[in-house]
Amino acid sequence: MSAASRRFSGFSPRSRKGKAAGAVIVCAALLLAGCGGSATDASAPVIRGDVGDNCEPATGSWTATAAVGGVTRTVIFTAPTYASPWTKFTATANTGQSAEITSSASSGSIQLRGLTKKANNTFIVTGTTADGCTYTSPPSITVSGVVEAVVAPDVPTIATVTAGDAKATVTVAAATTGGTPASYTVTASPAVTGGTCTVTGESGSCDVTGLTNGTTYTFTATATNAGGTSGASGASASLTPLTVPGAPTIGTVTASGSTSVTVAFTAPASNGGSAITQYTATSSPGAFTGTVSQAGDGKVTVTGLTAATTYTFTVMATNAKGPSLASGPSASVVTATATATATAPGTPRVTVVAGDKKATATMTAGTGVTPTSYTATAYAGGGVAYGTGAPAAVAAGTGCTATVAPWSCDVTGLTNGTQYTVRVTATKAGVTSPVPAVSGTVIPYKFMQTYALGGRGPAGGYVFYVSTDAFTSKGSACGTSCHYLEVSGTEHPYGFLWCSNEDATGTFGTAIGSGYENTRQMLAQCDNNKGAAYAASGSNVVNGVKFSDWFLPSKDELNELYKAQATSTSSSFPFSTTTPYWSSSTPGMKNAYAQEFVGGAGRIHFRNSE
């Protein structure tokens, strides 16, 4: 038995799985140097370990070495070979720190961190085989704890980013190479005042504050230790800080029957960085709710209430982050009694006719009891459905009430040329229909009294046709409320091509009111700088107002122009009596109607559009 084996002869086999060797031997082998004594002693290191009844004898040789250094050391080992393969190895310092790797190879390295600077250490390696046997190496020689040069960290990564209220929580992770980070600095882009935060330690998270809700940001990080600072990481995934909206402002609350109330509200000053999508009104008592999907001011109806009951209401706004705080409570409102609700009129019917700065509304009763009055109110814009946040009435004086048959009244104070809808409610004995009637669109114009045949129209042309009953001109400014046609004093004779491309689909309309749409189709399909449609269309400015709805007349419109000229005793219609004029109407492909302004009976006939 050699000196080394005699030195370890006091160690005998122990039980299987987990008991440590019988004693700690403060001995080391660095590059197979011995524990005192000669190099010959270290040439045959002795196995230390616990070998149970079912384990192989502790034979073979180990080596365990460690690099000189500071708080981090790398232990390199070579283990014997056994019939049962290795599964893991654990390196342990004499100061208690340990680290473990999983490996089936009989050699490798294990990195221990967190050692004490300038401390002298020895290390042992314990291996575990697949059958549960453990074998422990002899200790390494004592490794000097000189202060090592600290290696700067490599570029870190950003693991996760999470949005908050005007902030973002950023989690960082160290690179797998380079020195161990002592801290990280996280920076927002675009830059903001105070838009950085610091993580202390090898990994972790911090909050970047001072961000603007609704603005999209990315983040980068650098890692730092005593050896220096890494380069910046790649940009994180983008995120947008959000918070809930501010609280809306409650408005007027109106009982619309025994079981429903309409709650007006004003949008909050802040949407929290995300568009508001919904408002919810809640009753007290009962917590009955109603919602409306929109972003701005409006009204919401709450149903399911109890008759003859006093309620107050609050409103909350919701965005992508969630609901806001509730508004302050509304004024109290009392729902109608059930008897009164039973006598509420149904939704009325309404027709409107445009006038000069007004719209005349004529109402008829809906289902249920017969109303004793109707109230009409004008709103700017067209097609806003009831219950989706209609705007407030356009101005003072834009409502009227009809109290006697024929149930008609004038909604005044409107602006000529502006599109409106009119809403009408019916009332009896103080009870109002819960759902109003909504008219089609109407555009007030100053016509009829001023725009007479032969007179000047609003766009500076000559009026050649006036209709007491409104006609429809699809797509034009007057829409369904057109009452007259005027013709430009500029002559565009038959010499123009009808259409440079010969044909234009959608131009078969011949009736009064068809010319505007026919012309629009021609302009879309013919060359823009050629043809009769281009010559006839255009714009004119009169008294600062731009009129851009000139068009090539339809067949019937052109015939009305001929008839007006034929019966006129003035020179209001200075058109050639020898030249035919195109219409915008076609009976079929490659043909168009034209009108000859020749003395005697007017004739409209086909002209080949080529």
Side-chain angles (χ1 to χ4, degrees):
M1 181 177 289
S2 71
S5 62
R6 285 193 299 273
R7 196 178 308 144
F8 291 93
S9 62
F11 294 91
S12 59
R14 302 290 181 178
S15 63
R16 188 181 186 194
K17 291 189 177 178
K19 279 194 175 182
V24 175
I25 304 301
V26 184
C27 176
L30 177 59
L31 300 178
L32 298 184
C35 316
S38 68
T40 304
D41 292 333
S43 64
V46 175
I47 297 296
R48 298 172 64 245
D50 296 335
V51 182
D53 294 339
N54 297 321
C55 297
E56 295 182 54
T59 59
S61 63
W62 283 79
T63 63
T65 66
V68 175
V71 296
T72 300
R73 314 282 177 88
T74 300
V75 178
I76 302 171
F77 65 90
T78 300
T81 299
Y82 293 96
S84 178
W86 296 109
T87 59
K88 67 178 180 179
F89 295 92
T90 302
T92 304
N94 64 319
T95 50
Q97 295 86 350
S98 65
E100 180 180 282
I101 64 169
T102 299
S103 176
S104 60
S106 59
S107 63
S109 63
I110 305 174
Q111 189 177 67
L112 272 75
R113 297 188 178 202
L115 301 174
T116 303
K117 286 186 177 181
K118 299 186 179 181
N120 294 329
N121 294 103
T122 59
F123 303 91
I124 61 173
V125 177
T126 300
T128 302
T129 59
D131 60 5
C133 295
T134 59
Y135 302 90
T136 304
S137 77
S140 71
I141 65 170
T142 300
V143 180
S144 172
V146 297
V147 178
E148 64 184 356
V150 179
V151 177
D154 278 349
V155 175
T157 58
I158 293 180
T160 61
V161 288
T162 304
D165 180 6
K167 70 176 184 179
T169 301
V170 182
T171 302
V172 294
T176 57
T177 57
T180 302
S183 66
Y184 300 81
T185 299
V186 177
T187 304
S189 178
V192 296
T193 302
T196 62
C197 67
T198 301
V199 176
T200 301
E202 292 186 29
S203 62
S205 302
C206 64
D207 290 341
V208 181
T209 59
L211 306 182
T212 300
N213 287 332
T215 299
T216 300
Y217 296 89
T218 58
F219 303 87
T220 57
T222 58
T224 301
N225 66 10
T229 298
S230 72
S233 69
S236 69
S238 60
L239 63 73
T240 304
L242 300 176
T243 188
V244 298
T249 301
I250 200 75
T252 302
V253 180
T254 305
S256 50
S258 66
T259 61
S260 64
V261 164
T262 300
V263 182
F265 59 85
T266 302
S270 171
N271 65 6
S274 174
I276 295 172
T277 57
Q278 179 176 283
Y279 292 88
T280 302
T282 304
S283 73
S284 177
F288 296 101
T289 61
T291 61
V292 62
S293 297
Q294 63 188 67
D297 307 346
K299 297 178 181 179
V300 58
T301 299
V302 181
T303 60
L305 306 177
T306 302
T309 302
T310 301
Y311 290 95
T312 60
F313 294 85
T314 57
V315 177
M316 294 187 299
T318 300
N319 67 4
K321 188 69 173 179
S324 70
L325 295 175
S327 68
S330 70
S332 298
V333 64
V334 181
T335 53
T337 64
T339 301
T341 301
T343 60
T347 301
R349 294 181 289 274
V350 58
T351 58
V352 290
V353 176
D356 182 12
K357 298 181 181 179
K358 69 178 183 179
T360 300
T362 301
M363 287 73 67
T364 55
T367 59
V369 300
T370 302
T372 54
S373 67
Y374 298 88
T375 299
T377 306
Y379 295 84
V384 181
Y386 175 72
T388 60
V394 293
T398 56
C400 66
T401 301
T403 57
V404 295
W407 311 113
S408 181
C409 64
D410 289 341
V411 182
T412 59
L414 307 183
T415 301
N416 285 340
T418 298
Q419 190 178 59
Y420 297 91
T421 56
V422 175
R423 300 167 191 273
V424 175
T425 56
T427 301
K428 181 172 183 178
V431 182
T432 300
S433 55
V435 179
V438 182
S439 74
T441 57
V442 62
I443 302 175
Y445 274 97
K446 188 174 182 181
F447 52 74
M448 302 301 293
Q449 299 91 340
T450 301
Y451 304 144
L453 281 173
R456 287 283 186 175
Y462 296 98
V463 176
F464 66 89
Y465 175 77
V466 175
S467 171
T468 302
D469 297 324
F471 62 88
T472 297
S473 178
K474 179 180 178 182
S476 70
C478 58
T480 60
S481 304
C482 303
H483 283 267
Y484 68 93
L485 295 170
E486 64 180 296
V487 62
S488 171
T490 302
E491 189 175 28
H492 297 297
Y494 180 79
F496 282 91
L497 292 172
W498 186 82
C499 176
S500 59
N501 299 330
E502 298 183 356
D503 298 327
T505 59
T507 56
F508 299 106
T510 59
I512 291 173
S514 301
Y516 188 91
E517 176 64 11
N518 287 349
T519 303
R520 190 181 71 84
Q521 294 292 343
M522 292 174 69
L523 290 173
Q525 298 172 64
C526 306
D527 287 351
N528 287 339
N529 60 349
K530 297 179 180 179
Y534 177 77
S537 65
S539 62
N540 193 16
V541 178
V542 178
N543 296 326
V545 179
K546 183 176 181 179
F547 297 86
S548 58
D549 55 352
W550 292 103
F551 58 93
L552 191 66
S554 69
K555 170 189 171 184
D556 291 356
E557 290 166 345
L558 188 59
N559 197 41
E560 289 296 327
L561 178 58
Y562 169 79
K563 290 191 294 184
Q565 174 168 284
T567 58
S568 174
T569 58
S570 69
S571 58
S572 299
F573 308 104
F575 300 103
S576 171
T577 58
T578 60
T579 302
Y581 295 87
W582 285 121
S583 78
S584 60
S585 304
T586 58
M589 294 302 176
K590 297 188 178 181
N591 284 283
Y593 289 105
Q595 171 73 58
E596 289 184 353
F597 279 62
V598 181
R603 293 185 298 133
I604 294 179
H605 59 93
F606 293 133
R607 291 285 188 179
N608 189 287
S609 62
E610 298 182 71

